[in-house]
Amino acid sequence: MAKKVLLVYAHQSSGSFNAAAKDAAVKALKAQGCTVEVSDLYAMKFKASATAEDITGEVQNAEHFRYAEETKLAWKAGKLAADIVEEQRKVTEADLIIFQFPMYWFTVPAIMKGWFDRVLTLGFAYGHDKRYSSGIFKDKKAMLSFTTGSQESMFSANGINGDMNVTLWPLQVLAPQIFWAPSHITTAARKTMLEAWCARMQGLLEEEPLTFTPSDCFDGEKGFQLKPEFHEKHANKEFGLTSGIHLGKPLPPYNQMKVGV
């Protein structure tokens, strides 16, 4: 069965390297028989702010509006805003989601963060007992493909921007595709970057995800702390479990950059 891919794209210019990376991905995926939908957030004028306007009709508690709880009720009742409903449809149908963007201030642009906030609502995308490896979308794959304004060396453990593995920890599932500072390299080097991206596309849908610690390794009755038996198991290891759950040890090198480390 042909796979479905959603590409969530955030750049203002059709002449940008991000646009070229987006177009290359669409072409390569379609050549493999995939169905590809693109959410071009700037072209869509996608609303970034999560507000009560995201719900049609009255909210349950206008005096103390709580976005997560109110949108969960609206999702159940079919009263979410039309643009959210459409993006949720795309997410539901997708086997793989690629986020293509320029890194702004060590994270995604505001318009893409707004997509996360508004589309991935409570109930639809997660629940209090449906998170991480027990999550609603645990069988889907997602990845980041992005450009930086700084050189790779600046995002190292010794670099001025800090370790990119730490920056990426909350954001991803598959190993990222990072285009390091394309505005500071030659046209030929940018072409080589795009060729490598197209080559990766050939096996992207079969790639293994990055290493994460399963939900059942944590004790929900004790603040979701790592269970003692797993802590003890790794007590003599040189590195922590992951970049986020490092156990006070040195971070495992490339944990958020490459599979199997």
Side-chain angles (χ1 to χ4, degrees):
M1 182 180 296
K3 298 288 187 178
K4 293 187 176 182
V5 180
L6 170 60
L7 202 157
V8 183
Y9 167 68
H11 200 286
Q12 305 91 332
S13 174
S14 60
S16 67
F17 186 87
N18 273 274
K22 179 258 295 179
D23 292 342
V26 171
K27 183 177 180 180
L29 288 165
K30 285 185 174 180
Q32 298 178 55
C34 294
T35 300
V36 184
E37 283 195 275
V38 177
S39 288
D40 185 339
L41 300 184
Y42 285 106
M44 294 159 59
K45 294 182 171 55
F46 189 81
K47 184 171 82 75
S49 55
T51 68
E53 294 175 355
D54 293 341
I55 298 165
T56 60
E58 295 183 359
V59 300
Q60 185 179 61
N61 189 343
E63 286 189 17
H64 182 197
F65 179 76
R66 295 185 296 172
Y67 190 83
E69 287 73 14
E70 293 283 2
T71 51
K72 180 181 180 180
L73 293 172
W75 168 70
K76 285 183 174 180
K79 293 184 178 180
L80 284 174
D83 62 339
I84 296 176
V85 172
E86 175 62 5
E87 294 306 297
Q88 289 184 342
R89 176 196 64 78
K90 296 175 186 177
V91 170
T92 299
E93 294 180 358
D95 300 296
L96 167 68
I97 304 174
I98 299 173
F99 297 95
Q100 181 67 56
F101 61 94
M103 179 172 275
Y104 285 177
W105 293 103
F106 301 93
T107 189
V108 299
I111 197 167
M112 184 171 282
K113 179 57 167 62
W115 187 96
F116 292 156
D117 292 347
R118 298 182 63 231
V119 176
L120 304 179
T121 57
L122 178 62
F124 166 73
Y126 70 98
H128 297 300
D129 59 344
K130 295 178 180 179
R131 299 180 290 182
Y132 300 105
S133 59
S134 299
I136 294 169
F137 296 138
K138 63 183 185 298
D139 295 325
K140 294 183 184 294
K141 291 184 176 180
M143 70 170 296
L144 309 181
S145 174
F146 63 95
T147 58
T148 67
S150 300
Q151 300 170 357
E152 183 175 3
S153 61
M154 296 169 69
F155 281 103
S156 66
N158 298 316
I160 192 169
N161 289 345
D163 190 339
M164 180 63 91
N165 292 283
V166 177
T167 301
L168 294 177
W169 164 249
L171 289 172
Q172 55 182 3
V173 178
L174 292 179
Q177 185 75 19
I178 306 177
F179 302 103
W180 300 103
S183 61
H184 299 295
I185 60 177
T186 64
T187 300
R190 287 195 291 272
K191 182 179 178 182
T192 299
M193 280 184 169
L194 291 176
E195 289 172 348
W197 178 218
C198 289
R200 184 181 179 188
M201 284 289 157
Q202 304 309 309
L204 187 62
L205 291 160
E206 286 73 45
E207 280 190 13
E208 292 296 318
L210 295 164
T211 300
F212 294 94
T213 309
S215 301
D216 57 11
C217 294
F218 299 87
D219 191 337
E221 296 182 357
K222 295 183 178 179
F224 289 95
Q225 293 289 292
L226 191 68
K227 292 177 181 177
E229 58 265 35
F230 294 104
H231 209 295
E232 292 168 8
K233 181 180 178 181
H234 290 85
N236 296 321
K237 300 291 179 68
E238 180 181 2
F239 299 107
L241 286 167
T242 62
S243 298
I245 304 160
H246 50 71
L247 309 179
K249 297 173 179 285
L251 302 186
Y254 304 109
N255 172 250
Q256 290 296 293
M257 308 278 280
K258 299 178 182 179
V259 174
V261 293

